[in-house]
Amino acid sequence: MFADKSGLTVLISAENDLEASQRLAVLTTRRKYLQKADLWFGLCLAPDQARLRFGMRLAEPWHQDDQLDAAVAREEQVPPVSRNAAMRQVLRGGEGNQKIGRNDPCPCGSGRKWKKCCGP
C-alpha cells in the first residue's frame, strides 16, 4: 500500500486543456518527487470562475531519479521567497507602478513568458 505522504498541487490556468495538463503534470510530478511521496493529486481550476477543469492522480512508489534531481535543482536556484515576493509586486502593480509586459519573463521564476504563465 502507499505511505502516509501525499499531497495536492493546484494550478489556476487559462491555457488550453493540452497546455494546462502538460504544465500540471510537470508541477505535480516535481512536487511529488520533492516530498518523496507515493501519492499526489493535481487539480486545474479555471481562473475566471471557481470551476474545476480537470485533475490527475499520481500513485506510484517514490524512487530516486537523476533527471528529476536535475530539474528540481534548476528550479531551486530561484529561492521560493524571491518568487513569492516578485509575484506580490506584480499583483500590486510592480515597483513604481511599472506594469509587466505580456512578453516579459514571468516574475514567478518559471522562465516562461508572463502571458503564458501567471499573466492570465
Side-chain angles (χ1 to χ4, degrees), residues 11 18 20 25 31 45 65 76 82:
L11 172 67
L18 177 62
R31 179 54 69 185
L45 305 177
D65 183 292
E76 289 179 345
S82 298

Side-chain angles (χ1 to χ4, degrees), residues 32-89:
K32 177 185 180 295
Y33 187 76
L34 276 172
Q35 298 300 318
K36 297 183 178 179
D38 294 330
L39 179 63
W40 208 265
F41 298 92
L43 296 176
C44 182
L45 305 177
D48 54 345
Q49 308 165 8
R51 176 177 64 85
L52 175 65
R53 291 176 58 192
F54 55 85
M56 65 177 40
R57 178 178 178 253
L58 302 178
E60 49 186 64
W62 186 90
H63 63 278
Q64 191 276 330
D65 183 292
D66 292 336
Q67 287 181 326
L68 283 172
D69 282 337
V72 167
R74 284 191 306 272
E75 187 175 285
E76 289 179 345
Q77 289 176 353
V78 178
V81 174
S82 298
R83 287 192 296 254
N84 292 339
M87 286 308 298
R88 281 195 300 274
Q89 287 289 55

Side-chain angles (χ1 to χ4, degrees), residues 2-18:
F2 294 105
D4 291 337
K5 275 198 154 184
S6 62
L8 172 70
T9 298
V10 177
L11 172 67
I12 300 172
S13 175
E15 297 170 313
N16 66 50
D17 284 351
L18 177 62

